[in-house]
Amino acid sequence: MKETRKMKFFFVNLSLIIFLITRPLAGINSAMIGQKTLKSENEDRDLLWYSDNLTPEDRKKIRTAMDHAIPRDRIIEDLIQGHAIKIATPIGANQLGYDPTIQVREYNPNKALDLMEEVFGYRYNASSDLAKEREYYFEMELMSPNTRVDRMEWAALITKSFSDIGIDVTLHYISWNLFISHIFELDEPGLDYAHGGYDGYFIGWGLPPEPDLTNFFMRENMPPIGCNTAYIINDEVEDILIRSVNELELTNRLLALKEFQQWFQDKNPYFIILQGYNLWALDSNLEGVDYTGLNYPNYRNWTHPTESLITVQSPSTFFNMNPLITHSRYDFLAMRDNFDSLINRYPQNLTEYYGNLAESWTISADNLMWTFKIRDGIYFNDGTKLTVDDVIFTYEKLIDPDVDVRDQRFYMTHIKEIKKIDSHTVQFTLTEFYLYMKSLFTVPILSKAQMEQIPSVEWKNDADTNTKYAPMGTGTYVMDKANTDVSKGVVTMILNPFYDGSLRDPAGQFKNPNLIPTIKVKVYDYDIYHCVKDLTSDALDIIDSQSGLSARGQYIDEINRSNCCKLHTSLEWGHQELVINNCSPIWGMNPNGTTKIPNTNTSMTSTTTSTNMTSSMSTEAIPSISVPSFSFITSLSLLIVLLIYKRKHEREF
């Protein structure tokens, strides 16, 4: 009897020990681990942050599985009527260094499930009789801005495909402004959607013909400074990309770009969906539109034989009209031609530049000193004269930590010193050689006299329309405040009375004697129906290429049948992608090594097979019911039974 009591005591306490040991592993199938550890010394890491319970190879397998689950052919052929091509890396088919031998992973859900099974130990099957096989591996929350119909639709299609391979995805369609706040204004990188962050998002990025990818992959270029929103930190890719922007010899530069594409294909840090064709719909008589997308809109080149007012569709609401602060293409639709820069790209040759505000410039033999002579007789739209001080002020604000310039600040780190030589000459000294330095001098120049009236820390949210929505420029147009209502999505621009195009273009290369007097930019959100209706009835003159028109074949046919409209298509300078946040709760931890705020509304497992989506107008995450994992419930139940048993028989012990 004594031995029996000893055995009972041994097994009860052994059970308690097992519970305490196994409890931290509860919910491992979800990969949503609350506590993370920074493994910076692991030589096999492909990204810096990862969960204790997912090795770097596990995470790579998951990403590869997700890549195999993206139905690119269906998106291109069925959804957007063939208006795209497949590419495997961020370098597009029309860009320097593109390597066609780097192949896109095939759509293969079975291979995706094989990889997931290798990681999690069971094969997801929504129709299985076994409850275990119906459990999702983990959950993700993805975002898509509600600015493009086609992107919203392929986001939903990809979300469903991820669901089919065992990932429970909630897709949030949100406004552009809210979308930007999640990406660039989160308190710390590891936050989930409910706390202002993201697990992943759908977006399109534009890149020039000679792509500089350091903005997207260098560790010092994480938000809010730059666009490394995947939070990648990898010595190998940084070395490759530094060579790609520092090599004067083209052969070596091409080799570095090839190495980058091989690295991207191997590591698969996030997913390139496609490279699209820009599809424009416009008034048949509207000419001079720059279809490259890099210099768009260039209203100063537009002409129309009869119209004095041209209405342009914007797919999104406006964020901020200060060109230093915004990084929204949709804001530039409304104000880019209100400003001039030192130099600009040639419309027909995007790798070459011409002087705009700069009459001339010289470069030192070591390429570290750039000296610009400013044209005389240039005026802001209030009649005040442009000086070198305005140029210096603008560039100093780009490196001012009080100014929320975000993705431009990284490039400005190349500038060591800005010096005023005389009233018409400014000199920039660089910290090191940078191959694409000319692109830094395409920054729109602001008026020092106007902008210094308000502390720069307040520029972003200041209610004064002069600093947030109507800063002064020297460009062709100026905002017509009387006919502008940003809150209602209407911005109207009229000709700048102090603009003299001949001073910017003394050779007459871009001379336009028939400038359109008034440009109105009107927000239509993702309402393609009314866009086409207004275009064909002469109430709208151009549908923007980012509207997602390619996803509406019936409207394309309607435009083709119309005598008043025309279509134009060109391969975009950029690509569409699904970025994953590599320090989100799924993949690892934030850069400073602290544990992320737990999401108490996050479901650990799910038995539903439907895709979760929030309303396109939602500004808040819809909380899901928290369901503890099966292993945790089992362990907890066992503990309760054992405690009751122990209490009942405590006298025997």
Side-chain angles (χ1 to χ4, degrees), residues 533-581:
K533 180 181 178 182
D534 285 358
L535 180 68
T536 55
S537 64
D538 203 30
L540 180 66
D541 295 286
I542 184 166
I543 298 177
D544 185 67
S545 65
Q546 302 298 304
S547 65
L549 183 62
S550 59
R552 294 292 182 266
Q554 71 273 29
Y555 297 142
I556 295 175
D557 294 338
E558 183 177 345
I559 293 169
N560 281 326
R561 290 192 301 267
S562 171
N563 293 324
C564 65
C565 310
K566 60 184 177 181
L567 292 167
H568 182 89
T569 184
S570 61
L571 191 61
E572 66 182 354
W573 295 101
H575 56 273
Q576 298 291 326
E577 61 188 24
L578 168 56
V579 177
I580 56 173
N581 181 351

Side-chain angles (χ1 to χ4, degrees), residues 72 76 80 82-88 92-94 98 104 272-277 571:
R72 294 176 176 86
I76 293 173
I80 57 175
H83 288 95
I85 60 174
K86 292 187 292 185
I87 58 172
N94 55 353
Y98 172 69
V104 176
I272 307 301
I273 299 170
L274 52 84
Q275 183 180 14
Y277 284 95
L571 191 61

Side-chain angles (χ1 to χ4, degrees), residues 446-647:
L446 300 177
S447 165
K448 178 182 179 181
Q450 180 199 37
M451 300 303 291
E452 69 180 358
Q453 294 179 22
I454 295 179
S456 53
V457 71
E458 299 176 13
W459 284 4
K460 177 184 170 185
N461 298 312
D462 184 61
D464 183 359
T465 56
N466 287 331
T467 54
K468 184 174 182 179
Y469 290 120
M472 291 193 304
T474 59
T476 318
Y477 290 89
V478 58
M479 182 181 288
D480 178 9
K481 296 180 183 179
N483 293 296
T484 291
D485 189 337
V486 174
S487 65
K488 294 182 178 179
V490 176
V491 172
T492 304
M493 293 166 291
I494 56 177
L495 289 173
N496 176 4
F498 299 96
Y499 178 78
D500 186 349
S502 64
L503 292 175
R504 281 79 161 176
D505 184 23
Q509 300 178 77
F510 315 115
K511 187 175 181 180
N512 181 5
N514 299 308
L515 288 168
I516 296 169
T518 306
I519 303 288
K520 181 167 72 173
V521 181
K522 182 179 179 181
V523 174
Y524 279 78
D525 290 328
Y526 46 92
D527 186 356
I528 299 297
Y529 169 76
H530 283 100
C531 285
V532 175
K533 180 181 178 182
D534 285 358
L535 180 68
T536 55
S537 64
D538 203 30
L540 180 66
D541 295 286
I542 184 166
I543 298 177
D544 185 67
S545 65
Q546 302 298 304
S547 65
L549 183 62
S550 59
R552 294 292 182 266
Q554 71 273 29
Y555 297 142
I556 295 175
D557 294 338
E558 183 177 345
I559 293 169
N560 281 326
R561 290 192 301 267
S562 171
N563 293 324
C564 65
C565 310
K566 60 184 177 181
L567 292 167
H568 182 89
T569 184
S570 61
L571 191 61
E572 66 182 354
W573 295 101
H575 56 273
Q576 298 291 326
E577 61 188 24
L578 168 56
V579 177
I580 56 173
N581 181 351
N582 285 286
C583 60
S584 76
I586 294 174
W587 303 107
M589 73 185 306
N590 59 34
N592 63 15
T594 61
T595 304
K596 287 170 291 301
I597 300 172
N599 178 8
T600 56
N601 289 326
T602 298
S603 170
M604 299 296 286
T605 62
S606 175
T607 57
T608 179
T609 58
S610 62
T611 300
N612 300 313
M613 295 187 211
T614 63
S615 165
S616 61
M617 303 306 293
S618 170
T619 58
E620 298 291 337
I622 297 177
S624 55
I625 299 173
S626 178
V627 183
S629 67
F630 177 79
S631 58
F632 176 75
I633 292 175
T634 303
S635 300
L636 183 61
S637 301
L638 178 61
L639 175 63
I640 293 171
V641 171
L642 291 173
L643 288 174
I644 293 173
Y645 182 87
K646 183 178 180 180
R647 182 176 180 85

Side-chain angles (χ1 to χ4, degrees), residues 196-402:
Y198 56 94
D199 296 329
Y201 65 89
F202 294 90
I203 195 59
W205 287 109
L207 291 170
E210 296 181 330
D212 175 7
L213 293 159
T214 55
N215 191 20
F216 301 93
F217 291 90
M218 302 295 284
R219 70 188 71 190
E220 62 264 39
N221 204 18
M222 297 173 183
I225 294 175
C227 293
N228 183 359
T229 55
Y231 293 95
I232 297 166
I233 181 165
N234 182 279
D235 293 338
E236 180 186 0
V237 75
E238 291 187 7
D239 175 69
I240 292 170
L241 291 178
I242 288 172
R243 285 189 284 116
S244 77
V245 298
N246 287 343
E247 287 284 357
L248 278 173
E249 176 59 45
L250 179 60
T251 303
N252 294 334
R253 204 187 321 163
L254 292 174
L255 180 61
L257 291 173
K258 182 179 180 68
E259 289 179 39
F260 164 76
Q261 290 169 90
Q262 292 170 336
W263 175 89
F264 190 94
Q265 175 74 343
D266 176 55
K267 300 301 183 182
N268 207 29
Y270 55 86
F271 315 111
I272 307 301
I273 299 170
L274 52 84
Q275 183 180 14
Y277 284 95
N278 288 322
L279 183 61
W280 313 78
L282 60 159
D283 184 318
S284 296
N285 294 313
L286 185 61
E287 300 294 342
V289 178
D290 172 27
Y291 298 110
T292 65
L294 287 180
N295 289 324
Y296 184 78
N298 260 4
Y299 298 129
R300 65 191 66 179
N301 295 336
W302 290 19
T303 63
H304 196 287
T306 59
E307 298 290 341
S308 60
L309 167 65
I310 295 297
T311 304
V312 180
Q313 177 247 356
S314 172
S316 172
T317 53
F318 305 113
F319 174 69
N320 193 302
M321 298 298 174
N322 186 326
L324 302 193
I325 291 179
T326 186
H327 45 193
S328 168
R329 177 185 181 278
Y330 311 114
D331 288 338
F332 278 100
L333 280 178
M335 56 74 174
R336 181 62 183 90
D337 276 15
N338 295 6
F339 301 92
D340 287 316
S341 51
L342 289 173
I343 59 177
N344 274 341
R345 296 176 186 269
Y346 277 103
Q348 287 77 32
N349 186 352
L350 296 172
T351 62
E352 298 295 330
Y353 296 78
Y354 67 93
N356 190 7
L357 293 178
E359 181 179 303
S360 62
W361 67 92
T362 59
I363 308 170
S364 63
D366 60 3
N367 287 287
L368 296 182
M369 191 173 293
W370 294 61
T371 305
F372 292 87
K373 183 177 180 181
I374 308 301
R375 299 186 194 277
D376 192 19
I378 304 292
Y379 293 87
F380 286 99
N381 55 47
D382 70 340
T384 57
K385 193 172 183 179
L386 170 80
T387 70
V388 166
D389 294 332
D390 297 302
V391 176
I392 294 174
F393 172 82
T394 299
Y395 277 88
E396 286 180 341
K397 289 305 174 183
L398 281 170
I399 56 178
D400 182 350
D402 285 341

